């Protein structure tokens, strides 16, 4: 018998182990509330929130320009866009977040890697913590591996990826295959790394709904952790506490695969420096270590390579990229897949709904009923997904529950279907099957499903 309760009880499990399935609400078709846009085409992730005013839309367009257009090395005649590098991964934000969407690992042909990663970066650290409790960068190569550089500066090296096939089968006997990546850094330009260096691959996620996630009340995030702890099962999410350069204090992490960033502003300015080598007021120093003498001698694009007002435009743009509407909500397969999603207790972590609080930076994002499907908490996801690298309060097996909105439009926007933190999952079912640790029970539930219900679950995820 299906049990119906209000949405606020999503994730509740009866003593019998049966998950409660909340009734469907028409609001679910508009996951961004009044900010939602109705576009399921290739530009679905690139539109401004539907309720912005004309002045805000102008700021959005300016931010879009500095997000998507290439930066050049200094000195240059285009002084507003010079200062690239000296080391970098990409020449623009949009190079990794193509069409504001999700990145993918490098292409392979006949088992051989054909290109260097662009939308997949490698975080580096050694044991210990910095002054704010965050990771300590590798002494020679810093906190992020950069495989490109401006002229007369050496790229830090190359990234080699190999995959190991892992086979398994569902309870009905149908077989599946997963691929597990391993990473090696080669052609190191500045010598050997610290022997205890830890690597963590991170794929570029889609950009939609970031401001809405920032508008979720902190009390609601903490309530998620309290609810999960009270359930008494394996699922026990924890908030990450991270340093925010804009707030000047420790805050709850909301962004990044380990919730290692607390605001869109910090995330944006930090990525400009780490990924493109562009300095700003909150991140004013190039990331050149003592060993990288060519990097330290390279020309600069100015004391601050992106002006404050332009950085603010990019932050506004990143906050106000709209969430596209959900699709096929009346399809019986989608409705049944939604039931399966709840019955498998996926909604315990992928919490469907919130009402955002007031949000001074963009008032239109406040007081919206949204459906991001995340608790913004860290969870132990098991050894199979572990990177072994701590990040503030996140351990080596911990990952933040990613939002699911827009999931089904990735193939349309980005022409691929690679998921999880490093793109190892080649489709949505593979992403489910990589779940372990606290999510092991949900994975086991899925393994026992009929083929029809497995397909229904996929239909639901593709509708978001």
């Amino acid at each position: 018998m299906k049990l119906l309760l209000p949405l606020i009880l999503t994730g509740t499990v009866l003593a019998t182990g049966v998950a409660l399935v909340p009734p469907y609400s028409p609001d679910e078709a508009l996951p961004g509330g009044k900010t939602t846009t109705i576009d399921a085409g290739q530009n679905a992730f690139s539109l401004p929130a539907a309720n912005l005013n004309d002045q805000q839309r102008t700021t959005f367009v300016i931010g879009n320009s500095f997000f998507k257009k290439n930066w050049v090395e200094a000195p240059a005649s285009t002084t507003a866009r010079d200062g690239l590098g000296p080391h970098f991964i990409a020449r623009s934000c949009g190079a990794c977040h193509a069409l504001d969407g999700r990145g993918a690992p490098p292409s392979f042909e006949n088992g051989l890697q054909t290109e260097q990663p662009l939308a997949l970066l490698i975080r580096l650290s050694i044991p210990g913590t910095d002054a704010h409790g965050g990771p300590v960068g590798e002494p020679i190569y810093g906190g992020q591996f950069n495989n490109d550089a401006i002229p007369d500066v050496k790229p830090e090296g190359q990234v080699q990826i190999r995959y190991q096939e892992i086979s398994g089968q569902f309870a009905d006997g149908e077989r599946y295959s997963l691929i597990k990546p391993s990473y090696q850094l080669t052609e190191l330009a500045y010598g050997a790394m610290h022997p205890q260096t830890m690597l963590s691959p991170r794929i570029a996620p889609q950009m939609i709904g970031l401001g809405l996630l920032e508008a979720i009340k902190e009390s609601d995030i903490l309530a998620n952790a309290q609810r999960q702890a009270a359930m008494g099962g394996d699922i026990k999410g924890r908030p990450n506490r991270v340093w925010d350069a804009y707030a000047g204090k420790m805050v709850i992490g909301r962004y990044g695969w380990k919730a290692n960033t607390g605001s869109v502003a910090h995330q944006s300015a930090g990525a400009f420096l780490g990924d493109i080598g562009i300095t700003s007021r909150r991140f004013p120093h190039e990331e050149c270590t003592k060993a990288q003498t060519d990097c330290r001698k390279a020309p600069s694009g100015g004391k601050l390579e992106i002006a404050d007002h332009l950085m603010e435009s990019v932050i506004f743009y990143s906050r106000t990229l709209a969430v596209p509407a959900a699709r096929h909500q009346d399809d019986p397969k989608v409705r049944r897949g939604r039931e399966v999603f709840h019955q498998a207790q996926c909604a315990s972590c992928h919490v469907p709904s919130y009402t955002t609080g007031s949000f001074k930076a963009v008032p239109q994002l406040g007081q919206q009923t949204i459906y991001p499907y995340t608790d913004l908490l860290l969870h132990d996801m098991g050894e199979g997904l572990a990177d072994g690298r701590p990040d503030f309060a996140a351990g080596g097996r911990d990952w933040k529950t990613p939002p699911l909105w827009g999931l089904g439009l990735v193939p349309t926007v980005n022409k691929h279907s690679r998921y999880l933190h490093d793109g190892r999952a080649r489709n949505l079912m593979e992403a489910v099957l990589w779940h372990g640790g606290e999510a092991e029970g949900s994975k086991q539930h899925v393994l026992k499903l009929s083929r029809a219900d497995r397909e229904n679950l996929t239909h639901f995820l593709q509708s978001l």
Side-chain angles (χ1 to χ4, degrees):
M1 181 180 70
K2 186 194 304 181
L3 298 171
L4 304 181
L5 283 180
L7 280 175
I8 195 169
L9 292 180
T10 292
T12 302
V13 181
L14 298 179
T16 58
V18 178
L20 298 168
V21 179
Y24 175 78
S25 167
D27 289 344
E28 295 182 43
L30 300 174
K34 293 179 180 178
T35 74
T36 306
T37 52
I38 313 298
D39 190 319
Q42 193 168 12
N43 292 316
F45 296 158
S46 296
L47 301 177
N51 56 353
L52 296 185
N53 60 41
D54 289 344
Q55 182 178 354
Q56 290 171 319
R57 287 175 181 270
T58 298
T59 303
F60 181 93
V61 170
I62 295 170
N64 173 52
S65 172
F66 280 84
F67 186 91
K68 291 187 175 176
K69 289 190 177 179
N70 283 350
W71 290 74
V72 298
E73 54 265 25
S77 57
T78 17
T79 55
R81 295 184 187 275
D82 72 343
L84 175 69
H87 290 126
F88 60 91
I89 293 174
R91 295 176 180 268
S92 70
C93 305
C96 295
H97 302 277
L99 297 174
D100 304 291
R102 181 183 294 261
S107 299
F108 277 71
E109 292 182 9
N110 299 319
L112 298 176
Q113 184 177 329
T114 59
E115 59 188 0
Q116 278 295 289
L118 177 63
L120 175 72
L121 62 85
I122 307 292
R123 295 270 191 241
L124 304 175
S125 60
I126 61 174
T129 57
D130 67 10
H132 300 298
V136 175
E138 200 281 332
I140 297 175
Y141 294 89
Q144 186 169 306
F145 194 70
N146 292 300
N147 54 3
D148 209 343
I150 63 174
D152 300 321
V153 177
K154 295 175 290 188
E156 291 184 332
Q158 301 271 299
V159 180
Q160 287 190 355
I161 307 174
R162 291 182 171 85
Y163 288 101
Q164 172 191 358
E165 185 173 0
I166 300 173
S167 299
Q169 65 179 36
F170 296 97
D172 61 8
E174 182 176 335
R175 300 195 64 79
Y176 63 81
S177 174
L178 306 177
I179 54 172
K180 182 174 183 176
S182 61
Y183 301 88
Q184 184 179 6
L185 306 181
T186 64
E187 300 181 34
L188 298 176
Y190 302 99
M193 288 189 175
H194 188 285
Q196 293 179 284
T197 299
M198 296 173 281
L199 313 181
S200 182
R202 312 283 177 89
I203 207 81
Q206 64 260 43
M207 297 286 294
I208 57 173
L210 298 184
L212 292 170
L213 296 179
E214 197 167 13
I216 292 174
K217 297 185 287 290
E218 181 175 314
S219 59
D220 287 345
I221 300 172
L222 297 176
N224 287 334
Q226 294 165 357
R227 171 183 55 80
Q228 292 170 10
M231 286 167 56
D234 293 331
I235 298 172
K236 293 181 173 61
R238 300 168 288 111
N240 205 350
R241 294 276 181 181
V242 302
W243 175 255
D244 187 86
Y246 278 74
K249 62 181 181 180
M250 302 293 287
V251 301
I252 284 184
R254 300 169 186 249
Y255 306 103
W257 289 100
K258 285 181 179 277
N260 64 319
T261 309
S263 68
V264 175
H266 183 113
Q267 178 73 22
S268 301
F272 259 92
L273 181 65
D275 300 347
I276 314 174
I278 300 299
T279 61
S280 61
R281 187 166 302 281
R282 296 312 198 286
F283 294 87
H285 304 295
E286 302 281 10
E287 293 191 330
C288 300
T289 67
K290 290 182 179 180
Q292 298 173 344
T293 55
D294 56 351
C295 180
R296 290 191 285 115
K297 292 177 182 178
S300 168
K303 186 176 181 181
L304 302 179
E305 292 169 335
I306 181 170
D308 288 348
H309 69 285
L310 296 177
M311 189 73 247
E312 289 300 323
S313 295
V314 174
I315 292 167
F316 182 86
Y317 171 79
S318 300
R319 277 178 170 147
T320 55
L321 281 162
V323 179
R327 300 155 310 287
H328 312 302
Q329 297 295 286
D330 293 328
D331 187 328
K333 294 180 179 179
V334 171
R335 288 293 181 94
R336 173 56 189 160
R338 180 181 177 276
E339 293 179 350
V340 173
F341 181 86
H342 284 273
Q343 290 166 353
Q345 299 185 38
C346 302
S348 294
C349 301
H350 290 284
V351 176
S353 181
Y354 299 86
T355 298
T356 59
S358 60
F359 192 57
K360 184 177 179 181
V362 188
Q364 293 97 320
L365 303 185
Q367 307 305 318
Q368 299 297 319
T369 299
I370 63 172
Y371 288 81
Y373 288 89
T374 176
D375 58 9
L376 295 176
L377 299 176
L378 297 171
H379 294 273
D380 179 342
M381 293 300 292
E383 196 58 34
L385 288 177
D387 66 352
R389 180 181 180 271
D391 204 334
F392 289 96
R397 292 161 48 118
D398 291 338
W399 299 98
K400 182 200 76 181
T401 307
L404 300 183
W405 50 18
L407 204 63
L409 287 173
V410 172
T412 299
V413 174
N414 296 121
K415 310 303 180 188
H416 70 78
S417 58
R418 302 300 289 264
Y419 301 100
L420 296 180
H421 67 279
D422 55 4
R424 69 177 64 190
R426 295 165 294 186
N427 54 59
L428 290 170
M429 183 52 66
E430 284 190 20
V432 172
L433 296 174
W434 271 112
H435 284 53
E438 295 178 32
E440 181 67 27
S442 294
K443 180 182 74 176
Q444 292 300 323
H445 183 98
V446 171
L447 286 170
K448 296 172 185 175
L449 291 174
S450 66
R451 182 174 185 178
D453 269 349
R454 295 198 298 271
E455 292 176 352
N456 291 333
L457 176 60
T458 299
H459 281 300
F460 169 68
L461 295 173
Q462 290 171 336
S463 78
L464 297 178

